[in-house]
Amino acid sequence: MQTDTPFDAYMRGDDCALTGSQIRGLELFAGKAGCIDCHNGPLLRDEAYHNIGVPPYDGWEDDPLAQITFRFEIFAKGATQQMYREIKDDPGLNFRAKHKPHMGKFRTPSLRYTIYTYPYMHNGMLETLRDVVEFYNAGGGENEFAATKSEQIKPLGLNDAEIDDIVAFLETLSGEEILIEAPELPEMDPLPVVQNRGPRT
Amino acid sequence: MTIDLKIAAAINGPQGEAKAAEIAQIDVQRIYIAAEWMAKPKADGTRPKTFIMIEKGFYWSNNTGNTNAISSLGIIVGAGGRPGQVIGRAGGHQRGGLRGGKYPRNKSPEKLPGRRRRALDTDRYLISGHTRLAHVIGTTWVKAMCGSQSLQAKFDELTTRNPHQVTSFTKEDIVETLKQRVDSGGMVVWNQDIYLVDPIGARYADIVFPASGWGEETFTRANSERRIRLYPKFYDAPGEAKPDWWIIAQLTRKMGFEGFDWQNSNEVLEEGSRFSRGSRKDFHMVKVAAHREGKTPHKKLGEFGTNGIQGPVLMRADGSPEETKRLHDVNRVLPPEGPVGGTVFGKKLTHFNSQTGKCNLQKAPWSLFSSYWEWLKLREGEIWMTSGRINERWQSGYDDRRRPYIVQRWPENWIELHPEDAAVYGVENGDYLRSIARVGDSETIAQSCVERPSLTPLLRALLCRPDLGRTELICLMEALFRRGPTAA
């Protein structure tokens, strides 16, 4: 795992790796804001599934092509006729489990190198890290799957300065952007053509 | 159930039940009695617990309609996914293992239209004389289901009748002879099995790899209810016999492949466990739990004792394993946090394994099958033999001649005959009979094709096997046997 981030340096004992604001953010992350309840472990994720009430992608309402694609995906991934016609949002884990209590649940993502992964949430409905923290501060959002919304998501009562601190801390979880160099591709070498020999007797 | 039967009648026509009764040689009313036993609600409104077991030969005829019909019946009566209500196939099959790697299908010599290729048909490839080295593992091959006399003849031609035969005890000479055989268009055979099988091992194999069986090496497997458990070694393997994984590892390393450096079967299990994820025998989480506790999967599975643990194994958020008592369990509540960590949820845990997770009831109308049934009738005093079974004997007994107990108990094949059928032929209990099959007579087939075009695909299949079958049997007479179709 890549650990060349200010946060990892701080955890290794370099007290100067984080600024005062970032350290306050870390304390809020692990305390008042309760982020650590789900974003924990080496990857800062619990590898479990939750519905935090992310609103559906707005393109599914006003972009005809997105609407058609959405309906097709619902159909192709296996849904009942009723779901196919009526559902307005991504059923998430339910595609896999076919189990109503898992409607709209998504896997907690890692926070490592997260400044490069905007826009945020499974459907990209939040643009910046600040939007994300404000979203949680407001107690999540509303979507079609209210019945499965996580009880851990509730208003946090953070003020603007505290939100700034948390955002500052989240930025310390990323190091230099990891980019993959384009590999040298081998020359195209198709398999030799095999002739059909007709039925064998 | 009355409604269901009405639907069945509507699909199958007014003569549906009468036809079914005629085929089964029972009274029509008994079909209704059976239906009531299976599905009529009791006084308190609950339904009877119905358990449906299918003899596996039932779908060996590749008759989808039959399989559809009985699956639908099972679903209608609520069999499956509930305690005491089961639908399943009787008859053993290879169920305990972990699926192996994929074959490189795009290197198969057989081409389909477009870019696709058909998986290699090893029988036809061999009969065409292309096989140079056959590594035969745990199969009788020439005596297996699709084995034929022409396959055996080709085996003879490529091995025992090739001029390059081993006559020396020197390793170099042996290798040189086998190389010459291959270069001359012949074939070298390796046979790997837990006992010597004739002829594949006894006559055709140039090299025999004796493999150890269960109990001769600690290993893991699953039984037919997906119960994964440790089978500890309690016995030494005979002679130089080694586990299959050890033999494969030696060969692959000799061939220059990397890896395959397992020291024991636990290491094989460790490498394979993640490939079980999402399958009915998913035990990957047992390995994850074992490693967290600083144990090997073998040690961890040993702790589950004789009962083992039923796959698929999930892991709860607190790290504890959760086994699967039954698949398609309508009463199961999955953990709310979803498949944590490396756990995989499959819809078959709580639902049907269809795309939507819902049941797909497929119609199996009699009209699809009736023309075949009309054609498939006893003619000119025929007796039909199906493959009957004796509990102690595997299939036709081809692989049981090495077992003295079975050979002494069942020294001959036999045929069950109704006394009235026996009277027609003038035979009695204990008579030595010879049955001759003329299925595949090409003249008859050509005629039938013209008469019943819908049968053409089936008859074409028959055309592939225009052999004349002949069997010697002992007559067993009993009035309880059905007339006509019989077991032998």
Side-chain angles (χ1 to χ4, degrees):
Chain A
M1 192 164 66
Q2 195 78 3
T3 57
D4 61 347
T5 68
F7 168 68
D8 287 293
Y10 181 76
M11 295 302 281
R12 281 191 291 263
D14 179 1
D15 290 343
C16 305
L18 299 189
T19 65
S21 164
Q22 289 166 340
I23 291 171
R24 286 195 301 279
L26 169 58
E27 282 161 2
L28 288 163
F29 183 90
K32 183 178 174 185
C35 313
I36 205 167
D37 289 350
C38 296
H39 292 283
N40 50 41
L43 283 168
L44 300 172
R45 65 189 300 201
D46 62 359
E47 298 190 87
Y49 291 73
H50 310 274
N51 173 18
I52 56 172
V54 177
Y57 170 54
D58 43 19
W60 291 337
E61 288 297 327
D62 50 35
D63 178 352
L65 195 58
Q67 169 69 232
I68 291 166
T69 310
F70 173 65
R71 287 289 149 213
F72 173 78
E73 284 296 323
I74 294 286
F75 184 72
K77 288 186 168 69
T80 57
Q81 276 290 321
Q82 194 186 357
M83 263 179 82
Y84 169 58
R85 296 191 180 284
E86 296 176 4
I87 206 163
K88 304 283 186 212
D89 200 354
D90 189 340
L93 179 57
N94 186 66
F95 274 136
R96 186 82 199 162
K98 305 289 180 199
H99 203 226
K100 284 262 160 25
H102 292 123
M103 279 283 197
K105 288 187 180 176
F106 289 86
R107 202 166 163 103
T108 310
S110 169
L111 294 184
R112 290 193 165 273
Y113 285 73
T114 198
I115 61 168
Y116 305 109
T117 64
Y118 57 88
Y120 298 101
M121 301 307 172
H122 66 269
N123 54 12
M125 282 308 287
L126 302 177
E127 190 63 32
T128 63
L129 285 175
R130 192 177 168 87
D131 292 343
V132 173
V133 179
E134 283 173 354
F135 173 81
Y136 282 114
N137 193 33
E142 288 300 325
N143 60 21
E144 194 175 338
F145 315 112
T148 65
K149 188 176 169 184
S150 171
E151 290 175 5
Q152 288 168 284
I153 301 298
K154 46 185 181 291
L156 302 173
L158 302 171
N159 59 34
D160 269 5
E162 287 173 325
I163 291 173
D164 288 339
D165 289 342
I166 293 178
V167 172
F169 166 68
L170 291 175
E171 285 165 357
T172 70
L173 300 173
S174 307
E176 199 177 322
E177 188 169 14
I178 301 168
L179 294 171
I180 297 166
E181 280 179 36
E184 198 176 320
L185 294 176
E187 206 171 316
M188 174 75 168
D189 187 16
L191 289 163
V193 174
V194 176
Q195 299 297 322
N196 265 337
R197 293 173 195 187
R200 291 176 195 183
T201 52
Chain B
M1 197 62 194
T2 319
I3 295 166
D4 295 338
L5 282 175
K6 276 183 187 160
I7 294 168
I11 292 168
N12 293 327
Q15 296 305 306
E17 305 99 284
K19 181 63 80 177
E22 180 197 326
I23 294 167
Q25 297 179 12
I26 56 166
D27 184 64
V28 174
Q29 203 50 37
R30 293 182 72 86
I31 294 179
Y32 286 92
I33 294 171
E36 287 185 2
W37 283 352
M38 292 171 84
K40 187 178 182 182
K42 295 183 214 166
D44 63 357
T46 58
R47 295 179 104 186
K49 286 189 172 180
T50 305
F51 183 127
I52 293 185
M53 187 60 83
I54 309 166
E55 208 299 315
K56 73 171 168 184
F58 186 76
Y59 57 64
W60 272 5
S61 59
N62 287 336
N63 173 7
T64 323
N66 252 348
T67 312
N68 273 347
I70 200 142
S71 316
S72 302
L73 179 65
I75 291 162
I76 289 165
V77 301
R82 297 171 176 86
Q85 291 173 277
V86 176
I87 179 165
R89 188 189 101 153
H93 230 270
Q94 301 82 354
R95 283 282 185 260
L98 190 60
R99 186 183 291 257
K102 289 192 180 118
Y103 293 109
R105 181 175 286 196
N106 65 342
K107 291 182 179 166
S108 168
E110 224 182 324
K111 202 178 171 305
L112 289 163
R115 288 180 296 168
R116 295 172 301 149
R117 281 163 200 254
R118 200 195 300 278
L120 181 67
D121 180 331
T122 50
D123 283 14
R124 295 203 299 168
Y125 197 70
L126 193 141
I127 289 173
S128 304
H130 299 312
T131 310
R132 294 286 162 265
L133 171 67
H135 183 180
V136 187
I137 306 179
T139 170
T140 57
W141 199 348
V142 288
K143 286 183 173 179
M145 204 188 308
C146 294
S148 62
Q149 289 183 359
S150 49
L151 179 68
Q152 179 151 4
K154 197 69 187 184
F155 255 99
D156 271 320
E157 180 193 321
L158 295 175
T159 58
T160 54
R161 278 169 40 215
N162 185 284
H164 302 284
Q165 297 296 322
V166 174
T167 52
S168 162
F169 288 112
T170 320
K171 190 175 173 182
E172 288 73 25
D173 290 349
I174 294 171
V175 171
E176 191 51 40
T177 309
L178 295 182
K179 281 163 78 175
Q180 282 170 1
R181 188 194 299 170
V182 166
D183 290 342
S184 72
M187 176 173 71
V188 170
V189 178
W190 300 346
N191 184 223
Q192 180 174 333
D193 213 327
I194 56 173
Y195 51 81
L196 193 65
V197 173
D198 183 56
I200 191 72
R203 268 185 272 175
Y204 299 137
D206 297 289
I207 299 174
V208 171
F209 299 121
S212 60
W214 81 278
E216 294 168 353
E217 171 82 9
T218 298
F219 80 125
T220 41
R221 66 177 287 278
N223 71 1
S224 55
E225 57 175 9
R226 317 173 313 280
R227 205 173 275 286
I228 303 138
R229 57 159 288 193
L230 187 72
Y231 289 71
K233 176 178 173 171
F234 58 83
Y235 201 79
D236 281 332
E240 293 177 83
K242 290 282 185 186
D244 286 316
W245 62 260
W246 187 91
I247 298 168
I248 297 297
Q250 301 301 309
L251 286 169
T252 44
R253 277 149 70 180
K254 199 82 178 169
M255 288 163 79
F257 288 101
E258 287 179 4
F260 299 97
D261 47 1
W262 310 302
Q263 297 303 307
N264 52 52
S265 69
N266 178 69
E267 289 182 14
V268 184
L269 188 77
E270 298 234 6
E271 191 170 327
S273 86
R274 77 186 183 88
F275 297 103
S276 77
R277 292 178 65 208
S279 78
R280 288 170 308 172
K281 294 182 292 278
D282 184 346
F283 63 93
H284 186 60
M285 287 300 115
V286 176
K287 183 178 101 168
V288 172
H291 285 184
R292 272 187 199 158
E293 296 165 27
K295 297 169 185 161
T296 64
H298 269 194
K299 176 98 171 70
K300 184 73 186 165
L301 280 167
E303 292 171 7
F304 295 120
T306 310
N307 286 338
I309 186 163
Q310 269 184 296
V313 181
L314 314 181
M315 185 177 275
R316 300 191 190 95
D318 64 3
S320 59
E322 178 180 318
E323 64 178 356
T324 299
K325 190 169 185 177
R326 65 178 65 80
L327 291 173
H328 318 291
D329 191 338
V330 297
N331 300 315
R332 185 171 189 181
V333 179
L334 294 168
E337 65 275 4
V340 179
T343 303
V344 174
F345 272 6
K347 53 196 160 196
K348 58 181 173 284
L349 294 173
T350 51
H351 285 69
F352 286 93
N353 208 23
S354 63
Q355 198 208 18
T356 59
K358 299 283 180 189
C359 164
N360 292 331
L361 271 179
Q362 287 178 298
K363 285 194 292 186
W366 176 244
S367 57
L368 279 182
F369 195 68
S370 55
S371 61
Y372 180 57
W373 176 257
E374 288 302 321
W375 175 77
L376 198 75
K377 269 195 183 329
L378 293 171
R379 267 170 287 187
E380 295 163 24
E382 286 173 333
I383 294 281
W384 288 349
M385 299 198 303
T386 60
S387 162
R389 301 286 176 87
I390 313 166
N391 204 16
E392 295 97 325
R393 213 169 68 174
W394 169 248
Q395 296 198 338
S396 60
Y398 66 83
D399 196 30
D400 287 317
R401 307 310 292 174
R402 65 197 164 84
R403 296 178 177 160
Y405 164 79
I406 291 171
V407 172
Q408 285 164 25
R409 188 172 163 83
W410 302 103
E412 298 278 0
N413 280 319
W414 40 262
I415 181 168
E416 293 176 346
L417 282 182
H418 190 278
E420 287 177 32
D421 282 335
V424 171
Y425 293 94
V427 297
E428 290 182 8
N429 247 338
D431 278 1
Y432 208 27
L433 311 181
R434 170 177 293 166
S435 75
I436 295 172
R438 288 205 176 83
V439 174
D441 181 309
S442 57
E443 209 171 294
T444 317
I445 285 166
Q447 205 177 6
S448 302
C449 281
V450 176
E451 284 174 10
R452 297 184 181 81
S454 66
L455 295 178
T456 314
L458 287 164
L459 294 169
R460 196 175 290 147
L462 283 176
L463 267 172
C464 301
R465 306 189 57 183
D467 303 294
L468 189 71
R470 199 178 64 195
T471 317
E472 276 78 31
L473 311 123
I474 300 283
C475 176
L476 283 184
M477 251 164 53
E478 167 56 54
L480 285 172
F481 297 153
R482 286 177 62 188
R483 298 204 58 189
T486 179

